[in-house]
Amino acid sequence: MATEYLTASMPGVFYRRPGPDDPSFVEVGDEVSEGDTVGLVGVMKNFHEITAPRDGTVTDILVENESEIEAGRELIELTTDD
């Protein structure tokens, strides 16, 4: 098993859900597949998906919904079988 951290590629606002009334993309303990959307980063009304780089399990969400983030900020901890 390996632990991997998904990081922000740009500064902006981190969103855990696609809309205010929608459920979160992922919760701790969820299984994800490579390419699954796990969050969004909003920059000047444009939204960029944060996707899982490989199959794994979400073991921690390190940023609150709608928090301002800097590039390189660790967002989600993912455990993989690698």
Side-chain angles (χ1 to χ4, degrees):
M1 295 213 143
T3 300
E4 187 167 331
Y5 293 92
L6 283 65
T7 60
S9 59
M10 63 190 75
V13 177
F14 177 68
Y15 295 95
R16 290 190 54 201
R17 57 187 68 154
D21 298 326
D22 295 323
S24 297
F25 289 107
V26 293
E27 297 289 346
V28 172
D30 284 355
E31 300 282 331
V32 294
S33 299
E34 180 179 347
D36 284 354
T37 301
V38 297
L40 299 172
V41 174
V43 181
M44 304 203 45
K45 298 186 180 185
N46 290 308
F47 295 92
H48 305 272
E49 293 183 344
I50 305 295
T51 59
R54 62 192 95 255
D55 297 354
T57 303
V58 175
T59 49
D60 203 357
I61 299 171
L62 307 168
V63 178
E64 295 293 324
N65 188 47
E66 298 186 23
S67 294
E68 290 189 27
I69 56 171
E70 297 295 325
R73 173 78 156 93
E74 293 176 343
L75 305 172
I76 293 177
E77 182 183 271
L78 185 68
T79 300
T80 64
D81 289 333
D82 295 340

